[in-house]
Amino acid sequence: MKKTVWILVTLLVPFVASSENIKALVGGTLVDGFKDHPIQNSVVIIRGEKIAAVGEMGQVDIPAGAEIISTEGMTVLPGLWDMHVHLQINGHADYKHWHSTYPPRFEKEIMPASAHQLLMAGVTSARDLGAPLDTIINVRDAINRGDIPGPTMYVSGPFIQKKPYPGTELYRWGVDGERDARAKVKKLADAGVDVIKLIDQDEMTEAELMAVVDEAHKHDLPVVAHAHRPKEILLGLKAGVDNFEHTGLSTAPEYPPEVIAGLRERAAQMNIGPLFWTPTVEGLFNYDYVKNNTEKLDNDSWHLDMPEDIIADIKSSIQHPDQLPYYQITSKRKPTLKRKFQQLIDAGVVLMVGTDSGIPLKFHSQSTWNEMDIWVREMGVSPMDTIRGATYWPSVMMKVSDQVGTITPGKYADIIAVKGDVLRYMSLLQRVDMVIKHGKRVK
């Protein structure tokens, strides 16, 4: 029956694929990133790197000679974005040891392994928020040239903050006065970063903070900032930050009224675009489960391309996840997450999927689907809105929605497919069956 349908559709085609690289994804349920309802029995035509046509079987011509790839029984959706990753780390529990041992191996071993793991998990675009400048630029460019596999990367280079924590100067830059703040941002802009990462802005002078954001915007670079403390948020709003990260280190049960009022006021100013927020809740929400179900950590997906000695070192560092200092206050923070998450929704900010992937116990091969699963299963976000938070909205935030983020003719063919109904079972994303990046099937 299926073969007959394909033959009938093919007969409608007035042109031949010839030597062009044309693929036809046929039969699956398509979530295109725009529509509120999926397209059943879908057809997606890919010509070279771009999407050529999208529709239903019988309504879209399949070029003669096209490579037909059946997606029957699968959900087809845009390649995922993860808006907060750290390629330089991969789950190791001791930052001091990691950053004193492995920087010489970041560029050629660790970062490429992290990037490949993200891609195999269905992440075709990602934003790295904190890494040594030359190293992350070189890795980003190597991926974009096709030298190594990975998502299309958008990078910040080093954090900008008042004063780097001891031993972190490689990927954190301090500022001393307004002039120095502008100079540091300009240096990042001249190096070719895609975004500026700002943290601990409540420790800066107001002049320094305003200089960072103003200089970034002069170079057409968005600014993302930590939102761990109310004052960080309020100062970030005053300065014009574009995107906040995290849901707070505080154990306070909710955001205070003045913060919510500020968020509502900014979110209402649609003439300057949405206010974006990357809540990164999964690492906190799932910690209790992970520490009591350590078999999860034995999943070897995070071993991909990673040298054996580094795998052994990571394993050794996470033998006792219940004892990690990094997470000891998590049990007090977890009960506040749902309330704060809902406050952000109610305030009108646009939420995007990001994970802080690479932090202790969080592997690039697993973080993104876990975040999406928590959004649906625990935070009450609809599956369709969750997918848009991992596809469409990140492309808007990074100003590339004309190129990627939805399955739309003319855009790059960044597409994944998963056996089963992702709109009903978001956790199916833990096993992505097909990954296409820029028209090339990589999985």
Side-chain angles (χ1 to χ4, degrees), residues 95-374:
Y95 282 169
K96 183 178 180 180
H97 166 76
W98 186 267
H99 288 111
S100 64
T101 304
Y102 293 116
R105 301 175 70 175
F106 282 172
E107 184 172 335
K108 298 300 182 182
E109 297 175 273
I110 292 170
M111 287 185 175
S114 298
H116 196 188
Q117 290 168 25
L118 281 166
L119 184 63
M120 291 300 98
V123 177
T124 56
S125 300
R127 192 171 67 177
D128 187 287
L129 295 179
L133 180 57
D134 291 342
T135 303
I136 194 62
I137 292 287
N138 290 342
V139 171
R140 179 199 65 186
D141 293 350
I143 292 171
N144 291 346
R145 289 193 305 268
D147 297 342
I148 58 176
T152 300
M153 295 299 303
Y154 302 84
V155 306
S156 71
F159 303 177
I160 296 291
Q161 62 187 117
K162 179 59 181 176
K163 187 176 182 180
Y165 309 151
T168 67
E169 293 82 3
L170 189 63
Y171 60 98
R172 297 173 184 264
W173 288 359
V175 297
D176 184 14
E178 179 181 354
R179 180 177 296 180
D180 185 50
R182 290 188 181 277
K184 294 285 172 54
V185 173
K186 186 177 186 304
K187 184 175 181 179
L188 292 172
D190 290 345
V193 302
D194 306 287
V195 62
I196 298 298
K197 170 73 176 293
L198 176 65
I199 73 168
D200 293 344
Q201 57 268 22
D202 53 345
E203 296 179 2
M204 294 180 175
T205 67
E206 189 168 312
E208 289 169 339
L209 172 58
M210 295 297 180
V212 168
V213 177
D214 181 65
E215 189 68 26
H217 288 169
K218 281 184 178 178
H219 292 276
D220 199 28
L221 294 173
V223 179
V224 302
H226 274 189
H228 288 313
R229 297 176 293 277
K231 191 175 179 181
E232 270 189 311
I233 301 170
L234 293 170
L235 287 171
L237 288 170
K238 184 174 183 179
V241 161
D242 304 284
N243 177 187
F244 286 102
E245 304 292 302
H246 310 305
T247 47
L249 286 172
S250 165
T251 58
E254 61 182 11
Y255 292 115
E258 61 270 24
V259 167
I260 298 303
L263 294 179
R264 288 183 184 277
E265 181 180 358
R266 169 58 183 84
Q269 298 173 15
M270 291 303 293
N271 59 306
I272 57 176
L275 175 63
F276 294 96
W277 201 295
T278 317
T280 67
V281 293
E282 181 273 327
L284 299 172
F285 207 93
N286 276 338
Y287 171 67
D288 287 340
Y289 172 82
V290 172
K291 75 177 182 181
N292 294 316
N293 297 271
T294 55
E295 194 68 33
K296 175 185 174 69
L297 302 175
D298 293 334
N299 183 321
D300 64 0
S301 58
W302 61 270
H303 297 188
L304 178 65
D305 291 352
M306 194 67 75
E308 289 296 327
D309 65 316
I310 299 180
I311 293 172
D313 194 1
I314 295 171
K315 283 184 175 181
S316 176
S317 79
I318 61 176
Q319 281 185 342
H320 303 288
D322 57 313
Q323 299 176 20
L324 300 184
Y326 189 92
Y327 287 106
Q328 289 309 302
I329 199 172
T330 294
S331 61
K332 298 182 182 297
R333 296 171 64 191
K334 180 179 176 180
T336 75
L337 294 178
K338 284 188 178 182
R339 171 61 179 153
K340 291 173 180 173
F341 195 99
Q342 188 60 50
Q343 282 182 293
L344 295 176
I345 293 174
D346 293 343
V349 304
V350 174
L351 300 183
M352 301 183 298
V353 168
T355 61
D356 222 358
S357 188
I359 64 173
L361 307 178
K362 299 302 164 189
F363 306 118
H364 300 293
S365 58
Q366 302 170 13
S367 295
T368 312
W369 81 261
N370 268 300
E371 180 79 12
M372 297 175 73
D373 178 61
I374 288 296

Side-chain angles (χ1 to χ4, degrees), residues 6-7 10 22-26 62-63 65-70:
W6 290 356
I7 291 171
T10 302
I22 299 181
K23 300 179 180 67
L25 310 182
V26 181
I62 301 178
E67 177 189 0
I68 296 177
I69 301 173
S70 175

Side-chain angles (χ1 to χ4, degrees), residues 25 70-71 73-81 116-125 299 301 304 364-370 372-373 387 390-391 407 414-422 425-437 440-443:
L25 310 182
S70 175
T71 54
M74 305 176 81
T75 305
V76 180
L77 59 157
L80 304 177
W81 286 65
H116 196 188
Q117 290 168 25
L118 281 166
L119 184 63
M120 291 300 98
V123 177
T124 56
S125 300
N299 183 321
S301 58
L304 178 65
H364 300 293
S365 58
Q366 302 170 13
S367 295
T368 312
W369 81 261
N370 268 300
M372 297 175 73
D373 178 61
I387 290 170
T391 56
I407 299 179
D414 285 1
I415 300 171
I416 66 174
V418 182
K419 292 177 181 177
D421 186 356
V422 170
Y425 303 108
M426 189 62 62
S427 61
L428 290 173
L429 285 172
Q430 67 188 286
R431 286 183 289 274
V432 174
D433 296 284
M434 181 172 67
V435 180
I436 295 172
K437 181 192 172 189
K440 180 180 179 181
R441 186 170 182 177
V442 296
K443 182 179 182 181

